Amino acid sequence: QVQLVESGGGLVQAGGSLRLSCAAAGRTFRSYGMGWFRQAPGKEREFVSFITSSGAYTYYEDSVKGRFTISRDNAKNTLYLQMNTLKPEDTAVYYCAVKRDYSGSYTLVGSFGSWGQGTQVTVSS
């Protein structure tokens, strides 16, 4: 099992930047693909980004392409999400998650087996 703790959220003006971190406790961190999801007030949790276990491949939801960058440092057991040119519609609680082996699409909440507690990102206009 992998335990996850997100950090780095906060309040920022539109156009600003934040870097989220997800610290993982577990000897098998390097074996898992990792994702970032977000949930805005009154809305369902949605896919943001995904990175494969080695970090060789990354994927993004269309609205964040060119603005967000997912990365990982397996030696530090840490996942990152660099968020630039933030918009008010990016406001949400952001969660990191571990993809299950032999599960479905990385865009689906049900494909992930472990979740962090979330970190709040608020973007003002």
Side-chain angles (χ1 to χ4, degrees):
Q1 304 297 320
V2 179
Q3 188 172 11
L4 308 171
V5 179
E6 301 95 334
S7 62
L11 175 63
V12 65
Q13 291 187 328
S17 298
L18 287 172
R19 190 194 195 198
L20 306 184
S21 297
C22 173
R27 294 171 56 249
T28 60
F29 175 78
R30 297 178 179 181
S31 299
Y32 300 105
M34 300 286 294
W36 285 100
F37 290 75
R38 65 187 180 187
Q39 188 165 20
K43 297 184 178 180
E44 297 296 315
R45 192 167 300 186
E46 68 173 0
F47 169 75
V48 176
S49 187
F50 179 78
I51 187 167
T52 55
S53 59
S54 69
Y57 300 96
T58 59
Y59 307 91
Y60 300 91
E61 194 275 326
D62 287 344
S63 69
V64 308
K65 287 181 180 177
R67 300 190 297 120
F68 291 10
T69 303
I70 189 171
S71 62
R72 65 193 297 161
D73 186 339
N74 287 346
K76 296 182 178 179
N77 277 15
T78 304
L79 175 73
Y80 303 98
L81 185 67
Q82 178 67 46
M83 306 186 295
N84 298 326
T85 319
L86 283 161
K87 304 175 180 180
E89 51 262 46
D90 295 319
T91 295
V93 177
Y94 283 71
Y95 300 88
C96 62
V98 180
K99 192 173 186 297
R100 295 167 173 158
D101 289 341
Y102 307 107
S103 60
S105 174
Y106 54 78
T107 65
L108 301 178
V109 168
S111 298
F112 293 77
S114 298
W115 297 83
Q117 86 288 351
T119 185
Q120 176 71 49
V121 172
T122 303
V123 184
S124 62
S125 60

